[in-house]
Amino acid sequence: MAESKNPTDDKTDPTSDDEQEEATLVQQLMNKFSGLFGSLKSEEPAEDPVLKSFDLETAAEYMSKCSNVIVMAGAGISTSAGIPDFRSPGTGLYSQLEKYNLPFPEAVFHLDFFKKNPKPFFLLAKELYPQKFTPTPTHYFIRLLEEKKKLLRVFTQNIDSLERVAGVTADKIVEAHGTFFTSRCLDCQQEYDLEFVKEIIFKDEIPHCTKCNGIVKPDIVFFGEKLPARFSDLISTDFDKADFLIIIGTSLKVAPFNRLLTFVNKDCPRLLINMEPVGNSSSPFDLGSGALLYGSKANRRDVFHQSTCDEGVTKLTKLLAWEDDLDKLLKSEGISVEKVKEKISTIPDQTEQNADRLAEQMAKASLDNDDKKD
């Protein structure tokens, strides 16, 4: 979800793994050489700092004056809902799948494998289907940003649609790796809605097209598929406007999503809320590439706040004097603030158990299919 990364974190525009690697390498080289000479001269900032200090308090003070905030969200914002992430070592779904006899853990998100055996994917789809999970305080914080007229857009790697369920306006959401809300036949491209597919997969059946009997696949981006056009269209317009960037619950390891933070202007503060430091580099070659520079003498605008996503946004909400507003929003949705706080401590174990259970189910579906072929 990574981060925790999301199941489709590795999707990018190239149509093959070789092309993906090549495109990523070219981008990395371009990034490095674009700032090479300036970076080697000095690690001191070339211009005055944007922030007077690099902590959450200062970030909140600056953000309070902003009106075009972009949020980059990864699977970490959904783990407290009990949704397994995909890439966390030892606990993520891919780690759990490694002990089973799949071709490789990511196979369930490859079209070739899906066409031969869609059952493991639809077991996952049933587990992650919208409205099965309750949005987290972080999802409601994003909605609060919109209600405060500060949210320009949330770019999410997640396919759980919890931003929608939390009440964030659809126009404010860019689902970089697709959505369950629409589906289409792989053969004739006939479109289907959420309820059509949901009714079938909750019977543990495979949805087929009513016109041609092809497999109906939710509009989730698989490996080798292009990202939604909306993703690239809004990148070109939104990031120039951004006056504050929040990066939350993501590993920042997968292109092209991880490059979005480089598209804001050089004076736009960037706040990372994450359990682990990501997106930064100790290499002098990366100082001009757009890498996050928290902890570096060259830092002018980047803040890293180490915490869970929910703890981070809760503290940020207090600093913004929005605590009562968030509590009212949660209560209006029937969510107990006290229970949310109690639940956070038990979530890691529950999420790992969910990942293990789901991995076992998906692997069994794959093995059953192989036995039938034999």
Side-chain angles (χ1 to χ4, degrees):
M1 214 171 162
E3 71 0 332
S4 304
K5 286 160 98 169
N6 153 298
T8 49
D9 263 358
D10 283 319
K11 316 310 179 289
T12 184
D13 288 300
T15 56
S16 72
D17 291 342
D18 288 342
E19 289 174 330
Q20 176 178 333
E21 291 175 6
E22 182 179 350
T24 302
L25 177 60
V26 169
Q27 181 64 47
Q28 289 172 343
L29 289 172
M30 289 174 63
N31 284 344
K32 287 179 179 179
F33 284 109
S34 67
L36 174 59
F37 299 107
S39 299
L40 290 177
K41 288 178 183 178
S42 172
E43 284 194 3
E44 296 298 330
E47 302 176 69
D48 291 337
V50 176
L51 301 175
K52 60 186 181 183
S53 60
F54 306 110
D55 52 38
L56 193 64
E57 290 75 11
T58 305
E61 180 183 355
Y62 189 101
M63 187 186 130
S64 68
K65 304 177 181 69
C66 296
S67 57
N68 285 307
V69 178
I70 289 180
V71 178
M72 289 173 56
I77 74 169
S78 295
T79 53
S80 68
I83 298 176
D85 71 61
F86 284 73
R87 293 183 178 274
S88 288
T91 61
L93 186 59
Y94 288 158
S95 274
Q96 301 294 340
L97 283 169
E98 284 177 355
K99 59 189 173 188
Y100 298 105
N101 190 29
L102 288 175
F104 45 94
E106 298 88 347
V108 289
F109 292 105
H110 278 253
L111 274 177
D112 289 343
F113 182 85
F114 176 81
K115 289 174 181 177
K116 294 174 185 175
N117 182 16
K119 184 68 174 178
F121 170 79
F122 282 113
L123 281 170
L124 174 67
K126 178 181 176 181
E127 185 75 16
L128 298 183
Y129 228 70
Q131 301 167 347
K132 186 170 182 178
F133 291 93
T134 301
T136 68
T138 302
H139 292 99
Y140 285 111
F141 171 77
I142 296 171
R143 175 174 160 185
L144 187 60
L145 281 175
E146 181 181 5
E147 292 185 356
K148 296 287 186 180
K149 302 191 183 305
K150 289 187 175 291
L151 182 68
L152 175 59
R153 209 84 59 190
V154 51
F155 285 75
T156 179
Q157 293 175 283
N158 300 335
I159 59 172
D160 53 42
S161 301
L162 286 181
E163 295 86 5
R164 293 177 184 243
V165 178
V168 180
T169 304
D171 181 62
K172 293 290 185 180
I173 305 169
V174 176
E175 292 155 321
H177 297 145
T179 177
F180 281 110
F181 273 74
T182 56
S183 301
R184 65 194 71 241
C185 172
L186 287 177
D187 295 334
C188 73
Q189 299 301 304
Q190 174 68 29
E191 292 190 12
Y192 293 90
D193 62 16
L194 180 74
E195 292 305 317
F196 173 85
V197 175
K198 180 180 178 181
E199 183 177 349
I200 295 170
I201 70 170
F202 272 69
K203 297 176 184 176
D204 292 325
E205 298 173 359
I206 306 299
H208 286 273
C209 180
T210 57
K211 288 190 173 183
C212 73
N213 203 42
I215 298 174
V216 174
K217 170 184 163 295
D219 288 334
I220 304 300
V221 181
F222 276 24
F223 290 95
E225 292 187 304
K226 291 184 177 181
L227 273 65
R230 177 174 165 80
F231 176 76
S232 55
D233 290 346
L234 287 177
I235 285 174
S236 62
T237 58
D238 284 354
F239 281 80
D240 281 343
K241 299 177 186 174
D243 50 16
F244 197 90
L245 178 65
I246 299 174
I247 308 159
I248 184 165
T250 173
S251 66
L252 290 178
K253 287 184 179 178
V254 179
F257 193 88
N258 63 348
R259 295 199 290 266
L260 297 186
L261 62 88
T262 70
F263 297 155
V264 293
N265 74 70
K266 62 183 178 62
D267 294 324
C268 176
R270 302 180 297 184
L271 167 63
L272 171 67
I273 299 175
N274 222 45
M275 286 295 290
E276 302 293 337
V278 297
N280 61 334
S281 176
S282 58
S283 168
F285 289 94
D286 282 336
L287 295 182
S289 70
L292 295 171
L293 296 179
Y294 55 85
S296 163
K297 291 180 180 179
N299 190 20
R300 301 175 56 245
R301 54 172 175 159
D302 297 332
V303 175
F304 171 44
H305 180 74
Q306 189 165 21
S307 72
T308 67
C309 298
D310 292 342
E311 289 167 342
V313 299
T314 298
K315 185 170 182 181
L316 182 57
T317 301
K318 288 181 180 178
L319 292 168
L320 291 164
W322 296 354
E323 187 174 14
D324 288 345
D325 297 320
L326 182 60
D327 287 353
K328 287 177 184 176
L329 178 55
L330 291 172
K331 288 176 182 176
S332 73
E333 296 292 330
I335 299 171
S336 165
V337 179
E338 290 74 20
K339 286 185 178 179
V340 166
K341 292 176 181 177
E342 291 173 7
K343 188 178 179 183
I344 287 175
S345 62
T346 63
I347 281 295
D349 289 341
Q350 292 176 357
T351 304
E352 182 176 354
Q353 291 166 7
N354 287 346
D356 191 29
R357 172 181 52 77
L358 183 54
E360 185 176 359
Q361 292 174 348
M362 293 167 68
K364 184 177 185 301
S366 177
L367 294 173
D368 288 347
N369 189 69
D370 290 342
D371 291 341
K372 289 177 184 177
K373 290 179 182 177
D374 294 340

